[in-house]
Amino acid sequence: MNFPEELRYSKSHEWVKNENDEVVIGISDFAQSELGDVVFINLPQEGDSVTVGEAFGDVESVKAVSDLICPVSGVVSAINEELLDAPEKLNRAPYGAWIIRVAEVSETEELLGSADYEAFCAAEG
Amino acid sequence: MSDLKRTQLYTVHTSAGASMVDFGGWEMPVQYPDGIVAEHLYTRHACSLFDVSHMGRLLIEGPDRVAFLQHVLTSNVLALDVNKAQYCILPDKNGSAVDDAYLYRFEENRFLLVVNAANTEKDLSHLQSVLPAYDCTITDITDQWAAIAVQGPKSKEILSVLSGGQMLTEPMKNALNTLQMEGRTVLIAKTGYTGEPLGYEVYIRSADAVWLWNRLIELGAKPAGLGARDTLRTEAGMPLYGHEMGLDPDGKPMPIFAVPLAKFAVSFSQQKGDYIGKSALERQSAAFKRIMNRDFSDMADLPRRIMPITLLERGVMRGGMPVYRGGTQVGYVTSGTMVPYYRAEGEGLQTVITGETAKRAIGLCYVDSDLLENDIVEVDVRGKRLKAVIPACHMRSDAPPFARPILYRPEEEETAADGGGRFEKAVELLKRAEENHLWRQKQCINLIPSENTPSHAVQLLCASDPACRYAEHKKIKSFYDKDIFYYQGTKFIDRAEQLLTEEMRAYLGCSEVETRVISGQMSNMAVFSALMDWKNRLDRKHTPQRLGYVLNNHIIKGGHLSAQPMGALHDYIAVDPVTERSAVVNFPVCRDNIYKIDVEETKKLLDQYRPELIIFGKSMVLHKEPVAAIRQFVDQEHIPTTIMYDMAHVLGLVGNHFQQPFAEGAEIVTGSTHKTFFGPQRGIVGVNYRKEELKYGLWETIESRTFPGRVSHHHLGTQLGLLMAAYEMNTFKDAYQAAIIENAKYFARCLKSQGLNVAGDPAIGYTETHQVIVSVGYGIGAEIAERLEENNIIVNYQATPDEEGFTASGALRMGVSEMTRFGFGKEQFKELASLMADCILRNKDVSGDVEKLRGQFTEMRYCFNGSEFDDALEQLARRIGF
C-alpha cells in the first residue's frame, strides 16, 4: 500500500493536493483496493459547486457503489474525462488518476498527513 | 470471522491472497488479487476454478427415494437417467421456492442433491419434516466431498489431461461420469453456473481436494471468487436464490414460474403425482401460458416475471432499484452489475473474438408480466431515471466452445432492394454461374461425402422435357391396383418410372421401390408418416398415436438429421409420458471406437425399450451397421419392430463390397441418390415385403404417404436422370464400389502417414465406407475447412462424437466418391494427402498444385461411352438445344 508523503488525505479516503490556486482530488490506494475493480464513475460538471462533506460523484466497482466525498467547498474547474471511459485507471494508478480540480476554495476539512492516514487505514482495515 | 465454516480449500485461497468474506455462514473467497473483472474474462476465454464446496451436498438413498424426491422437488425425477443431472426447485406449498438445486444421479440407487450454502440448514429441516412418511434417508456429505467448478473454453482440455485423455462425460449438458484422475476417483458433471458451454463441476473426496485444485492451476486454470461467480451467472441470466427467487424486494414470495428456468424445472407428469405446491404451480403454469400468448387479462398468479435488463445510459444498476414504465413502477432490478466482455469482429462462423475488452451494465429484473422483449423502461439509479431495455438475453451458450455476449442492438430498418437494373443483374448471374460451375467442376477437389457429380447423360436427361411436367399417379383398387395418371402426355415418363423401379429393385435386392420422393429427408418422412398411419389403421376415431420408442443413432454420434426428433422424425415421434421427452433411444457406441455401434449394449436397450422402429444409418459413417446381428436378436426375442436402414450416404455402396441391407434383414431402406450413388438429388424408398405378408399394407401406405402425402409433381426431370444413373450403377457398381473402398482406405493411410490425426480403427484401414475423418483440433474444424477451400479443396467441418456441436467441430469429414468417379486412384489420393498436410499442418498455399491435379481429371468414369452412346448423347443435346 502506497501513501505518498506530498499528499494529504481525508478520512473518507480521498487524497488532496494543492496546485497553484486550485485543489486536485483523487482516491487513495487504500480506497481503490477496498473497492475492487472500478467499472464506472459519475462526475460533476465543470462549474458545479461542491461542498465540504458532501458527495461530488460516485464510483462503482463490480461489487458496490461508493460516494466520493468532497474534502473542500468550491467550484469545479476541471474533471478528468479520461476516467469516464477508463475508470480502471483509479485501480492502476490511484495517485496519477486525479478526479476533479476545484477552484475558489472557501472551506477545507481537516486532512491527515501521510503517516497519520496510514495509521488510520491500518485501524480500519 | 472465527465462527464461520471453512471449506476443504480454505488455506489454498488465503495463501493465494484471496479476499475472504462471510457468505451464507462460510468464509469464502470473493476475489483473488487479479480482481473480479480479470477473473470474469479469464473464465470466458480460458478456464477458472471456483470452490463450490460450501454448497450443501445431500445424499438420498433408500427404497422410497424416488417417491420422496418427486414429492419435494418440482422436477420429474423418473426422467433422470443414470449419469444425468437435472435442475430443480424445492417448492413450498404456495408455489414459491424454498431453494433451487441440482439433482445428480451418479449411481443407480442414489441421488445427490446440491443446494445453496446459505439454505442448507433450512432445506434440511424442510426435507426432514416430510421424510418420516418415506422409507429413505438423507445424509449430509458436505464435509466428506469437496466440489470444484471448472468453467470455461479450456476446461475440457485441462481436465482431459488429468483423465489421461479419457472422455470426461458425454458432450451433452447435464451429463455425468465417474472417473479416475491420476489415481483419484472423481465424480464429474457437465454443469455449471457461469453459462459457459464448456464447464464442469467436479466432486472429489475432501482429502484430495487441495491436490485437484493445485493440479488444475498447474495446468493453466486460475482461481475465481464469488464476485466473478455472480457477474458470470448474471450475464448468463441464471437465477440466484434471494434475488430472483424467494422473497421480492417488497417482502412478497415470488412464484416459481417467474423464473424462465421453471419451464424446464417444473413437471406435471402423471407419474410424478401430487407434490408440494403442485396446485399453485398449475395455476402459475396456466397464467404463464396466457402471458406467453400475450393474454394479460389475468396475471394474478404470475404478476411479475424475471427478465434480463440492459442499461442504455451510463451507469450501473443494482439489486433493489425500482423499474418504471412511463411513470408507473413495474418492478425492481433483482441483480445488477457491470460485466466485461471481449469484443468480436466479423459475422457468422467467421466471428473472431478479439483481445479487446469493453463493459456493459446489465442485470435481471422482476417486472410486470405484460412487459415484452425490447420494451423500453427506466431504472431509478440513485435518484436518476436512466433508460433501459428488456433484451432477449445477455448471452448465448449455443455456439461452443465460447459463451457469446449478445449486445443490445435496436432493429435497423432494412433497405429495400433496388428495383432497377435487372437486365444487367441477369447477365451478371449467368457469368457468376459459369464461374462457379467451372471452379467446382474443373478446379476444385470436392471431398464432401454427400455429393457427387452426375454424368453428362444424367444431367442432360434431368434438363429435358419431363423437367417441366406433372405425372401424378395412384394405384386404384377398382382397376386391380393399376396406376392411374391424372394428366395426359405422360406415357414416356410412366414407362421411365417403371424402368427405374425395376432397376432399383434389382440394385437394392428388394420387392418394392418408391422413386417419387425427391430427397432423402422426404423418403424418411414418407416412411415415418406411413408407419404412424399403419400403427393407427384399425382406429380412425381417435387422434393417431405417434411412434415410440424409436432406436436411432444420435446426431452427435453421426446419426442422420433426417432420423432425429428435430429433423424428419419431428412430427411423428411420441413424447414418453414418464420422461416427458421424445420417445427416442440411441444406439450405444463402443467404448474403444465411438464410430461403431456396441451390439451387446444395444441388445440390452432392445429388451428394455422394445422399440417399434429401429433406424440404422449415419451421416458420419466409417463402419457397416450391424443389421444382421440386430435382426437375429429381435427375431429371437420376438420384439415386434420394423428395421429400417437410412442408407443416404452409402446407397451407392449396396453390394458385395459393403452391405446388402435386405439380405441382412432390413425391411425398409431409404436413401438419397446423389452421395455415393450416381444420380441427381432425389430420394428412394425400398421395402422387402411380399404381397402375402401383413406388412405389405405398410408398403401400400408408404406409396400413399408419398403421393398424395408428400409430393404432387415429383420432379420428373431428375426422375428421368435417375434412370440413367441406375443403368450406370447396375453396370459399373462392382468396379466403382471396389475403387471407392480401396481409395478411402488408402487416402486415410496416406493422411495418417503425413502426420494427420485420422479417426477410426487402423486395423481395418480406418474406414469401411467412402468416408475418411481427420481430427484437426478442438474447435478449429471450421477454420481449417475455410483454409482448405481457399486452396480449392472442399470438405465438411464436422463435430466428432465427443464434441458439443458444429461450432466446436474439430474434425473434417471427407468422402472419396466424387473424385473416384473423376478417375482419382491411389497415386492421386496420395498426392492430395500430401497437399492437404501442407495446407493444414504448415499453412502452405497449395491452391495452384490442387488446381493442376484436379485439371488432369475432368473426364467422368463408371459411365457409358463409346461412339454409339456418344453419338446418341450428342444428338439429344443438339436437337433439344443444349
Side-chain angles (χ1 to χ4, degrees), chain B residues 709-747:
Chain B
R710 288 286 163 289
V711 284
S712 168
H713 70 90
H714 45 273
H715 297 198
L716 306 182
T718 53
Q719 192 183 32
L720 185 64
L722 184 58
L723 174 57
M724 178 60 78
Y727 286 146
E728 291 169 352
M729 183 55 86
N730 276 332
T731 306
F732 299 104
K733 69 176 184 184
D734 194 53
Y736 167 71
Q737 292 171 347
I740 290 283
I741 308 287
E742 188 183 45
N743 281 343
K745 286 179 192 285
Y746 189 74
F747 185 39

Short mmCIF file of all heavy atoms in Angstrom, two decimals, chain B residues 709-747:
data_model
loop_
_atom_site.label_atom_id
_atom_site.label_comp_id
_atom_site.label_asym_id
_atom_site.label_seq_id
_atom_site.Cartn_x
_atom_site.Cartn_y
_atom_site.Cartn_z
N GLY B 709 -49.41 -37.97 -50.22
CA GLY B 709 -48.93 -37.49 -48.92
C GLY B 709 -47.80 -36.49 -48.97
O GLY B 709 -47.75 -35.57 -48.16
N ARG B 710 -46.84 -36.65 -49.88
CA ARG B 710 -45.64 -35.80 -49.86
C ARG B 710 -45.45 -34.95 -51.11
O ARG B 710 -44.94 -33.86 -51.04
CB ARG B 710 -44.38 -36.68 -49.69
CG ARG B 710 -44.21 -37.28 -48.33
CD ARG B 710 -43.77 -36.22 -47.34
NE ARG B 710 -43.99 -36.63 -45.96
CZ ARG B 710 -45.16 -36.75 -45.36
NH1 ARG B 710 -46.27 -36.49 -46.02
NH2 ARG B 710 -45.26 -37.13 -44.12
N VAL B 711 -45.76 -35.53 -52.27
CA VAL B 711 -45.48 -34.80 -53.50
C VAL B 711 -46.73 -34.72 -54.36
O VAL B 711 -47.60 -35.58 -54.27
CB VAL B 711 -44.37 -35.49 -54.34
CG1 VAL B 711 -43.01 -35.24 -53.75
CG2 VAL B 711 -44.64 -36.96 -54.52
N SER B 712 -46.78 -33.70 -55.18
CA SER B 712 -47.79 -33.64 -56.21
C SER B 712 -47.05 -33.92 -57.52
O SER B 712 -47.13 -35.00 -58.08
CB SER B 712 -48.46 -32.28 -56.18
OG SER B 712 -49.22 -32.11 -57.32
N HIS B 713 -46.26 -32.96 -57.98
CA HIS B 713 -45.35 -33.34 -59.07
C HIS B 713 -44.08 -33.82 -58.40
O HIS B 713 -43.66 -33.27 -57.37
CB HIS B 713 -45.07 -32.14 -59.99
CG HIS B 713 -44.24 -31.10 -59.35
ND1 HIS B 713 -42.87 -31.10 -59.42
CD2 HIS B 713 -44.58 -30.05 -58.57
CE1 HIS B 713 -42.41 -30.09 -58.73
NE2 HIS B 713 -43.42 -29.45 -58.20
N HIS B 714 -43.47 -34.85 -58.94
CA HIS B 714 -42.32 -35.41 -58.23
C HIS B 714 -41.02 -35.19 -58.99
O HIS B 714 -40.16 -36.05 -59.00
CB HIS B 714 -42.55 -36.88 -57.88
CG HIS B 714 -43.13 -37.69 -59.01
ND1 HIS B 714 -44.48 -37.80 -59.23
CD2 HIS B 714 -42.54 -38.45 -59.96
CE1 HIS B 714 -44.69 -38.59 -60.29
NE2 HIS B 714 -43.52 -38.98 -60.75
N HIS B 715 -40.90 -34.01 -59.60
CA HIS B 715 -39.66 -33.61 -60.26
C HIS B 715 -39.26 -34.64 -61.31
O HIS B 715 -38.32 -35.42 -61.13
CB HIS B 715 -38.53 -33.39 -59.25
CG HIS B 715 -38.79 -32.27 -58.29
ND1 HIS B 715 -37.80 -31.67 -57.56
CD2 HIS B 715 -39.94 -31.62 -57.97
CE1 HIS B 715 -38.34 -30.72 -56.80
NE2 HIS B 715 -39.62 -30.68 -57.04
N LEU B 716 -40.00 -34.62 -62.39
CA LEU B 716 -39.87 -35.68 -63.39
C LEU B 716 -38.54 -35.63 -64.13
O LEU B 716 -38.06 -36.65 -64.61
CB LEU B 716 -41.03 -35.57 -64.39
CG LEU B 716 -42.42 -35.57 -63.74
CD1 LEU B 716 -43.50 -35.50 -64.80
CD2 LEU B 716 -42.62 -36.80 -62.89
N GLY B 717 -37.96 -34.45 -64.24
CA GLY B 717 -36.67 -34.36 -64.93
C GLY B 717 -35.62 -35.19 -64.24
O GLY B 717 -34.94 -36.03 -64.84
N THR B 718 -35.49 -34.97 -62.94
CA THR B 718 -34.44 -35.71 -62.22
C THR B 718 -34.82 -37.18 -62.07
O THR B 718 -33.96 -38.04 -61.96
CB THR B 718 -34.18 -35.09 -60.83
OG1 THR B 718 -35.41 -34.99 -60.13
CG2 THR B 718 -33.54 -33.72 -60.96
N GLN B 719 -36.13 -37.47 -62.11
CA GLN B 719 -36.52 -38.88 -62.06
C GLN B 719 -36.01 -39.60 -63.32
O GLN B 719 -35.50 -40.72 -63.25
CB GLN B 719 -38.04 -39.01 -61.96
CG GLN B 719 -38.48 -40.43 -61.60
CD GLN B 719 -39.99 -40.58 -61.58
OE1 GLN B 719 -40.70 -39.90 -62.34
NE2 GLN B 719 -40.49 -41.47 -60.74
N LEU B 720 -36.09 -38.90 -64.45
CA LEU B 720 -35.59 -39.47 -65.70
C LEU B 720 -34.07 -39.62 -65.64
O LEU B 720 -33.52 -40.65 -66.03
CB LEU B 720 -36.00 -38.56 -66.86
CG LEU B 720 -35.65 -39.05 -68.27
CD1 LEU B 720 -36.42 -40.35 -68.57
CD2 LEU B 720 -36.01 -37.99 -69.30
N GLY B 721 -33.42 -38.60 -65.10
CA GLY B 721 -31.96 -38.67 -64.95
C GLY B 721 -31.56 -39.84 -64.06
O GLY B 721 -30.57 -40.53 -64.31
N LEU B 722 -32.36 -40.06 -63.03
CA LEU B 722 -32.04 -41.15 -62.11
C LEU B 722 -32.09 -42.51 -62.80
O LEU B 722 -31.34 -43.42 -62.45
CB LEU B 722 -32.99 -41.11 -60.90
CG LEU B 722 -32.71 -42.12 -59.79
CD1 LEU B 722 -31.30 -41.97 -59.22
CD2 LEU B 722 -33.73 -41.99 -58.65
N LEU B 723 -32.95 -42.62 -63.79
CA LEU B 723 -33.00 -43.90 -64.52
C LEU B 723 -31.65 -44.17 -65.20
O LEU B 723 -31.12 -45.28 -65.12
CB LEU B 723 -34.14 -43.86 -65.55
CG LEU B 723 -34.22 -45.07 -66.49
CD1 LEU B 723 -34.34 -46.38 -65.71
CD2 LEU B 723 -35.40 -44.92 -67.46
N MET B 724 -31.11 -43.14 -65.84
CA MET B 724 -29.80 -43.33 -66.48
C MET B 724 -28.74 -43.66 -65.42
O MET B 724 -27.90 -44.53 -65.61
CB MET B 724 -29.41 -42.05 -67.24
CG MET B 724 -28.03 -42.09 -67.90
SD MET B 724 -27.86 -43.43 -69.13
CE MET B 724 -28.73 -42.72 -70.54
N ALA B 725 -28.81 -42.96 -64.27
CA ALA B 725 -27.84 -43.21 -63.20
C ALA B 725 -27.96 -44.66 -62.71
O ALA B 725 -26.96 -45.31 -62.38
CB ALA B 725 -28.08 -42.24 -62.04
N ALA B 726 -29.18 -45.17 -62.65
CA ALA B 726 -29.39 -46.55 -62.19
C ALA B 726 -28.81 -47.54 -63.20
O ALA B 726 -28.23 -48.56 -62.82
CB ALA B 726 -30.88 -46.80 -61.97
N TYR B 727 -28.98 -47.22 -64.50
CA TYR B 727 -28.34 -48.06 -65.52
C TYR B 727 -26.83 -48.08 -65.31
O TYR B 727 -26.18 -49.11 -65.37
CB TYR B 727 -28.63 -47.53 -66.93
CG TYR B 727 -30.05 -47.76 -67.45
CD1 TYR B 727 -30.67 -46.81 -68.27
CD2 TYR B 727 -30.75 -48.94 -67.17
CE1 TYR B 727 -31.94 -47.01 -68.78
CE2 TYR B 727 -32.04 -49.13 -67.67
CZ TYR B 727 -32.63 -48.17 -68.47
OH TYR B 727 -33.88 -48.37 -68.97
N GLU B 728 -26.28 -46.89 -65.08
CA GLU B 728 -24.83 -46.79 -64.87
C GLU B 728 -24.40 -47.60 -63.66
O GLU B 728 -23.44 -48.37 -63.70
CB GLU B 728 -24.41 -45.32 -64.65
CG GLU B 728 -24.56 -44.44 -65.88
CD GLU B 728 -24.40 -42.94 -65.59
OE1 GLU B 728 -24.34 -42.57 -64.39
OE2 GLU B 728 -24.37 -42.15 -66.53
N MET B 729 -25.14 -47.41 -62.57
CA MET B 729 -24.75 -48.08 -61.33
C MET B 729 -24.83 -49.60 -61.48
O MET B 729 -23.91 -50.32 -61.10
CB MET B 729 -25.64 -47.59 -60.18
CG MET B 729 -25.29 -48.15 -58.82
SD MET B 729 -23.57 -47.91 -58.29
CE MET B 729 -23.64 -46.29 -57.55
N ASN B 730 -25.92 -50.07 -62.04
CA ASN B 730 -26.07 -51.53 -62.17
C ASN B 730 -25.03 -52.11 -63.12
O ASN B 730 -24.69 -53.28 -63.04
CB ASN B 730 -27.49 -51.88 -62.61
CG ASN B 730 -28.44 -51.93 -61.40
OD1 ASN B 730 -28.01 -52.22 -60.28
ND2 ASN B 730 -29.71 -51.63 -61.62
N THR B 731 -24.50 -51.30 -64.03
CA THR B 731 -23.47 -51.78 -64.96
C THR B 731 -22.07 -51.73 -64.36
O THR B 731 -21.27 -52.64 -64.52
CB THR B 731 -23.50 -50.90 -66.24
OG1 THR B 731 -24.83 -50.89 -66.75
CG2 THR B 731 -22.55 -51.45 -67.31
N PHE B 732 -21.78 -50.63 -63.62
CA PHE B 732 -20.39 -50.40 -63.20
C PHE B 732 -20.15 -50.58 -61.70
O PHE B 732 -19.07 -50.29 -61.20
CB PHE B 732 -19.97 -48.97 -63.59
CG PHE B 732 -20.03 -48.72 -65.07
CD1 PHE B 732 -21.06 -47.98 -65.63
CD2 PHE B 732 -19.05 -49.26 -65.91
CE1 PHE B 732 -21.11 -47.76 -67.00
CE2 PHE B 732 -19.11 -49.04 -67.29
CZ PHE B 732 -20.15 -48.29 -67.84
N LYS B 733 -21.17 -51.02 -60.96
CA LYS B 733 -21.05 -50.94 -59.50
C LYS B 733 -19.89 -51.76 -58.94
O LYS B 733 -19.24 -51.33 -57.98
CB LYS B 733 -22.36 -51.32 -58.81
CG LYS B 733 -22.76 -52.77 -58.93
CD LYS B 733 -24.03 -53.02 -58.11
CE LYS B 733 -24.37 -54.49 -58.16
NZ LYS B 733 -25.61 -54.79 -57.47
N ASP B 734 -19.62 -52.90 -59.52
CA ASP B 734 -18.58 -53.74 -58.93
C ASP B 734 -17.23 -53.02 -58.93
O ASP B 734 -16.57 -52.92 -57.90
CB ASP B 734 -18.50 -55.08 -59.65
CG ASP B 734 -17.69 -56.07 -58.84
OD1 ASP B 734 -18.04 -56.26 -57.65
OD2 ASP B 734 -16.71 -56.62 -59.37
N ALA B 735 -16.87 -52.47 -60.09
CA ALA B 735 -15.58 -51.77 -60.18
C ALA B 735 -15.61 -50.48 -59.36
O ALA B 735 -14.65 -50.16 -58.65
CB ALA B 735 -15.28 -51.45 -61.64
N TYR B 736 -16.71 -49.76 -59.42
CA TYR B 736 -16.81 -48.47 -58.72
C TYR B 736 -16.73 -48.65 -57.21
O TYR B 736 -15.97 -47.99 -56.51
CB TYR B 736 -18.12 -47.79 -59.12
CG TYR B 736 -18.52 -46.60 -58.26
CD1 TYR B 736 -17.83 -45.40 -58.33
CD2 TYR B 736 -19.62 -46.69 -57.39
CE1 TYR B 736 -18.21 -44.31 -57.54
CE2 TYR B 736 -20.00 -45.62 -56.60
CZ TYR B 736 -19.29 -44.43 -56.68
OH TYR B 736 -19.67 -43.36 -55.89
N GLN B 737 -17.53 -49.59 -56.71
CA GLN B 737 -17.57 -49.78 -55.25
C GLN B 737 -16.22 -50.27 -54.73
O GLN B 737 -15.75 -49.83 -53.67
CB GLN B 737 -18.69 -50.76 -54.87
CG GLN B 737 -20.08 -50.18 -55.15
CD GLN B 737 -21.20 -51.18 -55.01
OE1 GLN B 737 -20.96 -52.39 -54.93
NE2 GLN B 737 -22.44 -50.70 -55.00
N ALA B 738 -15.59 -51.17 -55.49
CA ALA B 738 -14.27 -51.66 -55.07
C ALA B 738 -13.28 -50.49 -55.02
O ALA B 738 -12.50 -50.36 -54.07
CB ALA B 738 -13.78 -52.74 -56.03
N ALA B 739 -13.37 -49.63 -56.03
CA ALA B 739 -12.44 -48.48 -56.08
C ALA B 739 -12.70 -47.51 -54.93
O ALA B 739 -11.77 -46.97 -54.34
CB ALA B 739 -12.58 -47.76 -57.42
N ILE B 740 -13.96 -47.29 -54.60
CA ILE B 740 -14.31 -46.38 -53.50
C ILE B 740 -13.67 -46.86 -52.20
O ILE B 740 -13.00 -46.09 -51.49
CB ILE B 740 -15.85 -46.32 -53.32
CG1 ILE B 740 -16.51 -45.60 -54.48
CG2 ILE B 740 -16.23 -45.69 -51.98
CD1 ILE B 740 -16.39 -44.11 -54.45
N ILE B 741 -13.90 -48.12 -51.88
CA ILE B 741 -13.41 -48.63 -50.59
C ILE B 741 -11.87 -48.61 -50.58
O ILE B 741 -11.25 -48.19 -49.59
CB ILE B 741 -13.94 -50.07 -50.34
CG1 ILE B 741 -15.46 -50.14 -50.51
CG2 ILE B 741 -13.47 -50.60 -48.99
CD1 ILE B 741 -16.27 -49.51 -49.42
N GLU B 742 -11.29 -49.04 -51.68
CA GLU B 742 -9.83 -49.07 -51.75
C GLU B 742 -9.25 -47.64 -51.63
O GLU B 742 -8.32 -47.41 -50.86
CB GLU B 742 -9.40 -49.70 -53.07
CG GLU B 742 -7.91 -49.95 -53.14
CD GLU B 742 -7.48 -50.51 -54.50
OE1 GLU B 742 -7.95 -49.99 -55.54
OE2 GLU B 742 -6.70 -51.47 -54.50
N ASN B 743 -9.84 -46.71 -52.36
CA ASN B 743 -9.35 -45.32 -52.31
C ASN B 743 -9.50 -44.72 -50.92
O ASN B 743 -8.62 -44.01 -50.44
CB ASN B 743 -10.10 -44.45 -53.33
CG ASN B 743 -9.57 -44.63 -54.74
OD1 ASN B 743 -8.47 -45.15 -54.94
ND2 ASN B 743 -10.37 -44.24 -55.72
N ALA B 744 -10.65 -44.98 -50.28
CA ALA B 744 -10.89 -44.39 -48.96
C ALA B 744 -9.86 -44.90 -47.96
O ALA B 744 -9.28 -44.12 -47.19
CB ALA B 744 -12.31 -44.70 -48.49
N LYS B 745 -9.63 -46.21 -47.97
CA LYS B 745 -8.65 -46.79 -47.03
C LYS B 745 -7.25 -46.23 -47.32
O LYS B 745 -6.50 -45.89 -46.40
CB LYS B 745 -8.65 -48.32 -47.13
CG LYS B 745 -9.86 -48.99 -46.49
CD LYS B 745 -9.77 -50.50 -46.67
CE LYS B 745 -11.06 -51.22 -46.31
NZ LYS B 745 -11.31 -51.30 -44.87
N TYR B 746 -6.93 -46.15 -48.59
CA TYR B 746 -5.59 -45.70 -48.96
C TYR B 746 -5.40 -44.21 -48.62
O TYR B 746 -4.37 -43.80 -48.09
CB TYR B 746 -5.35 -45.94 -50.46
CG TYR B 746 -3.92 -45.69 -50.86
CD1 TYR B 746 -2.92 -46.59 -50.52
CD2 TYR B 746 -3.57 -44.54 -51.56
CE1 TYR B 746 -1.60 -46.35 -50.86
CE2 TYR B 746 -2.26 -44.29 -51.91
CZ TYR B 746 -1.27 -45.20 -51.56
OH TYR B 746 0.04 -44.96 -51.89
N PHE B 747 -6.43 -43.43 -48.90
CA PHE B 747 -6.40 -41.98 -48.60
C PHE B 747 -6.20 -41.79 -47.09
O PHE B 747 -5.38 -40.97 -46.66
CB PHE B 747 -7.70 -41.35 -49.07
CG PHE B 747 -7.78 -39.86 -48.95
CD1 PHE B 747 -6.69 -39.04 -49.21
CD2 PHE B 747 -8.99 -39.25 -48.59
CE1 PHE B 747 -6.79 -37.65 -49.10
CE2 PHE B 747 -9.10 -37.87 -48.48
CZ PHE B 747 -7.99 -37.07 -48.73
#
